[in-house]
């Protein structure tokens, strides 16, 4: 039980899976290779991460790895709620420079597939929000980059104007200085 919708950024998808509920809680399939393959999605994760965020309005992003070390990501919310954002940083893409956001929440059955070459970030909408990532592609520290979260060229319409940021995110370069 899986449906896949194309999102406005080239190659990005919203994946909806069935959530099974009973008196104990709920269960959902976050990723199953054969189900995605049947929907013409080739995705072979090589690592998995969790981002734990205790406070509302915690913003992480916009993170990516410089080409040719881009990573495909399947992102889901496993507790709380977040506003998940991607920005297309692929110069050869028809959606280059555009962004898209999807609200993700625990037990919703939704996940976002973000193509390699896109920056990714999110802001928490509730306390104690945990984001899960399945990532395809090797982590290369020297290829890691950050685009300024409030860059005026991209103009992401964040739901908070004064987020909680790391030093790295607060001092990230803007579009003109960022190395894609």
């Amino acid at each position: 039980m899986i449906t896949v919708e194309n999102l406005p950024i080239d190659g990005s998808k919203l994946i909806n899976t069935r959530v099974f509920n009973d008196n104990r809680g709920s269960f959902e399939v976050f990723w199953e290779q054969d189900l995605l393959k049947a929907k013409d999605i080739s995705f072979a994760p090589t690592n998995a991460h969790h981002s734990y965020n205790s406070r509302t309005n915690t913003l992480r992003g916009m993170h990516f790895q410089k080409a040719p070390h881009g990573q495909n990501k399947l992102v889901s919310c496993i507790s709380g709620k977040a506003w998940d954002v991607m920005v297309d940083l692929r110069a050869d893409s028809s959606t280059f420079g555009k962004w898209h956001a999807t609200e993700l929440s625990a037990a919703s059955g939704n996940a976002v597939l973000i193509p390699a070459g896109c920056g990714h970030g999110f802001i928490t909408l509730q306390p104690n929000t945990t984001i899960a990532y399945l990532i395809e592609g090797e982590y290369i520290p020297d290829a890691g980059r950050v685009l300024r979260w409030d860059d005026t060229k991209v103009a992401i319409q964040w739901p908070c104007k004064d987020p909680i940021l790391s030093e790295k995110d607060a001092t990230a370069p803007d579009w003109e200085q960022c190395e894609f």
Side-chain angles (χ1 to χ4, degrees):
M1 296 293 243
I2 186 171
T3 62
V4 177
E5 300 173 37
N6 291 325
L7 292 175
I9 302 298
D10 283 346
S12 66
K13 311 281 184 196
L14 178 64
I15 298 171
N16 299 291
T17 59
R18 184 172 174 202
V19 178
F20 299 91
N21 295 293
D22 64 21
N23 63 339
R24 301 166 296 166
S26 62
F27 175 84
E28 70 179 275
V29 175
F30 174 47
W31 172 77
E32 191 168 318
Q33 185 173 356
D34 290 343
L35 289 176
L36 290 177
K37 197 174 209 177
K39 301 288 184 179
D40 294 322
I41 295 176
S42 175
F43 179 71
T46 53
N47 52 74
H49 303 258
H50 288 150
S51 174
Y52 302 100
N53 306 276
S54 59
R55 297 170 60 192
T56 301
N57 295 327
T58 297
L59 191 149
R60 297 178 187 261
M62 299 299 293
H63 303 157
F64 64 100
Q65 285 194 170
K66 182 181 172 188
H69 304 292
Q71 298 173 301
N72 295 309
K73 299 176 183 176
L74 184 64
V75 181
S76 179
C77 182
I78 58 175
S79 69
K81 187 184 291 187
W83 199 69
D84 195 80
V85 182
M86 70 183 92
V87 59
D88 193 341
L89 303 174
R90 302 166 294 176
D92 60 347
S93 170
S94 67
T95 54
F96 178 60
K98 297 192 181 323
W99 65 273
H100 178 76
T102 303
E103 188 175 291
L104 299 174
S105 61
S108 68
N110 293 344
V112 177
L113 184 64
I114 301 168
C118 289
H120 173 254
F122 65 85
I123 189 165
T124 59
L125 301 176
Q126 293 180 347
N128 301 313
T129 294
T130 300
I131 301 299
Y133 302 80
L134 290 181
I135 301 173
E136 179 181 49
E138 184 180 356
Y139 172 62
I140 309 290
D142 290 342
R145 299 290 185 273
V146 181
L147 172 65
R148 188 165 178 81
W149 69 278
D150 62 349
D151 178 80
T152 56
K153 178 173 175 36
V154 179
I156 298 168
Q157 300 299 304
W158 295 98
C160 172
K161 300 298 179 205
D162 189 25
I164 300 164
L165 299 165
S166 70
E167 181 68 21
K168 178 180 173 179
D169 291 344
T171 60
D174 65 13
W175 184 271
E176 300 306 320
Q177 281 75 46
C178 194
E179 197 179 351
F180 304 129

